[in-house]
């Protein structure tokens, strides 16, 4: 497939084969013919990323792939199939537990129908996010047994450091870069030792802080999120023939 695509469109042929595969494997109740909106800046010149042959399941070719190839193929395969499956259904629960004169409360949810989550669940950077908020099935007036009490004091914490995933998400939200530039951007700042990886987190180095300080102090109008996003938009306008590239350079260069 074409790894630079930013489209969510898939061919009708792929849609039909996915339907057949999902109904055959999981049943009619798991299938939903779904279309997705393409972002306003998407070039949409190619289909979205998907397997070429949907009948080739990841586990059937595991022996012929390296571990990394297998993981990548499974990710593409499962995400694509999940995109054509029904949503998961949760029961939202608010629980009050009386213990002598105390009243304990818990809010959470209970998974009733797995839907697309049979195949794919979006990963999170924080382990706690996954575990919080899932409650067991409970009945009214059911007697529950105390296993343990975890006293926990919370303090306001600074925002979490970026991970590769959250940095890409932020670049996308702010309109900086395109799918083809996200990976080289991170590779460059790592190779130049402006940041280093600690577990999953990206930490600025001393060199990174000094370079950043110099750039922000001397080029505030260029080292600016809105400027970068605006330039991206102008490039797109040039590509579409709506803007004259010489005029854009004349305005910028002096």
């Amino acid at each position: 497939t074409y790894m630079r695509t930013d489209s969510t469109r898939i061919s009708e042929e792929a849609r039909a084969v996915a339907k057949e595969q999902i109904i055959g494997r999981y049943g009619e109740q798991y299938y939903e013919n779904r279309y997705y909106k393409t972002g306003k800046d998407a070039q949409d010149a190619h289909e979205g990323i998907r397997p070429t042959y949907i009948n080739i399941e990841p586990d059937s070719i595991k022996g012929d792939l390296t571990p990394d190839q297998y993981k990548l193929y499974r990710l593409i395969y499962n995400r694509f199939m999940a995109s054509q499956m029904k949503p998961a259904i949760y029961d939202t629960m608010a629980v009050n537990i009386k213990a002598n004169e105390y009243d304990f409360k818990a809010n959470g949810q209970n998974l009733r129908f797995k839907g697309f989550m049979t195949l794919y669940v979006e990963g999170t950077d924080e382990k706690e996010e996954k575990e919080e908020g899932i409650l067991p099935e409970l009945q009214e007036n059911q007697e529950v047994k105390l296993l343990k009490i975890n006293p926990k004091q919370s303090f306001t914490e600074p925002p979490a450091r970026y991970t590769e995933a959250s940095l890409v998400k932020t670049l996308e939200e702010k309109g900086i870069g395109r799918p083809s530039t996200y990976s080289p951007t991170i590779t460059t700042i790592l190779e130049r030792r402006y940041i280093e990886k600690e577990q999953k987190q990206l930490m600025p180095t001393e060199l990174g802080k000094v370079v950043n300080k110099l750039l922000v102090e001397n080029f505030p109008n260029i080292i600016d999120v809105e400027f970068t996003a605006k330039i991206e938009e102008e490039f797109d306008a040039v590509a579409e023939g709506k803007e004259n590239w010489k005029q854009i350079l004349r305005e910028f260069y002096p």
Side-chain angles (χ1 to χ4, degrees):
T1 188
Y2 188 66
M3 80 290 185
R4 285 184 63 216
T5 185
D6 50 6
S7 173
T8 54
R9 175 175 51 82
I10 57 165
S11 70
E12 290 307 314
E13 184 190 351
R15 202 177 282 285
V17 184
K19 177 180 180 179
E20 196 180 307
Q21 188 83 352
I22 291 164
I23 292 173
R25 189 151 186 210
Y26 302 103
E28 188 89 45
Q29 73 275 26
Y30 279 87
Y31 174 72
E32 186 172 312
N33 185 15
R34 294 166 77 129
Y35 290 83
Y36 296 87
K37 274 196 189 124
T38 295
K40 67 177 174 68
D41 298 325
Q43 290 162 336
D44 201 17
H46 298 260
E47 268 188 85
I49 294 180
R50 65 168 178 87
T52 314
Y53 300 105
I54 286 105
N55 57 337
I56 301 179
E57 293 181 18
D59 286 343
S60 68
I61 53 170
K62 191 175 181 180
D64 299 308
L65 303 175
T66 66
D68 281 348
Q69 287 172 339
Y70 168 71
K71 281 180 196 162
L72 180 61
Y73 182 63
R74 189 181 62 185
L75 175 69
I76 293 171
Y77 187 94
N78 288 357
R79 266 191 75 133
F80 168 71
M81 292 288 278
S83 78
Q84 294 299 300
M85 289 170 85
K86 280 250 167 75
I89 298 170
Y90 282 93
D91 286 331
T92 304
M93 296 162 72
V95 183
N96 288 316
I97 300 164
K98 294 210 175 299
N100 301 329
E101 72 271 29
Y102 297 106
D103 204 8
F104 294 97
K105 292 185 176 182
N107 292 311
Q109 46 194 14
N110 185 284
L111 185 61
R112 195 149 51 94
F113 172 66
K114 246 182 152 184
F116 75 90
M117 288 170 70
T118 311
L119 267 183
Y120 180 77
V121 179
E122 188 72 49
T124 60
D125 288 330
E126 304 300 325
K127 208 176 175 188
E128 295 77 48
E129 280 180 48
K130 282 184 187 169
E131 287 155 10
E132 251 174 45
I134 300 290
L135 295 177
E137 199 131 342
L138 294 166
Q139 305 298 325
E140 203 171 343
N141 296 325
Q142 180 180 339
E143 202 168 287
V144 291
K145 192 175 164 190
L146 173 69
L147 295 178
K148 65 176 177 185
I149 288 178
N150 296 330
K152 189 176 165 192
Q153 188 173 2
S154 295
F155 294 98
T156 306
E157 295 201 341
R161 290 210 178 274
Y162 283 117
T163 61
E164 286 191 26
S166 63
L167 183 56
V168 167
K169 192 177 175 191
T170 306
L171 290 172
E172 208 170 8
E173 280 168 4
K174 295 192 181 294
I176 298 173
R178 293 290 176 264
S180 56
T181 61
Y182 298 143
S183 180
T185 299
I186 293 168
T187 308
T188 303
I189 54 178
L190 273 166
E191 280 174 358
R192 292 186 185 171
R193 305 228 168 100
Y194 296 154
I195 58 166
E196 53 194 26
K197 258 190 191 174
E198 271 185 35
Q199 289 164 324
K200 278 186 170 183
Q201 296 186 320
L202 307 175
M203 316 278 278
T205 59
E206 276 310 307
L207 174 64
K209 288 176 186 172
V210 169
V211 169
N212 187 64
K213 187 168 179 284
L214 279 168
L215 290 172
V216 171
E217 281 173 4
N218 293 288
F219 303 99
N221 59 331
I222 294 176
I223 306 298
D224 173 70
V225 169
E226 281 170 23
F227 170 81
T228 313
K230 181 173 163 281
I231 285 286
E232 291 278 3
E233 281 169 20
E234 287 178 349
F235 287 165
D236 287 343
V238 169
E240 288 159 21
K242 293 176 186 167
E243 289 279 353
N244 182 314
W245 66 270
K246 288 181 182 172
Q247 188 54 36
I248 287 174
L249 281 180
R250 270 188 211 109
E251 285 167 15
F252 169 77
Y253 198 73

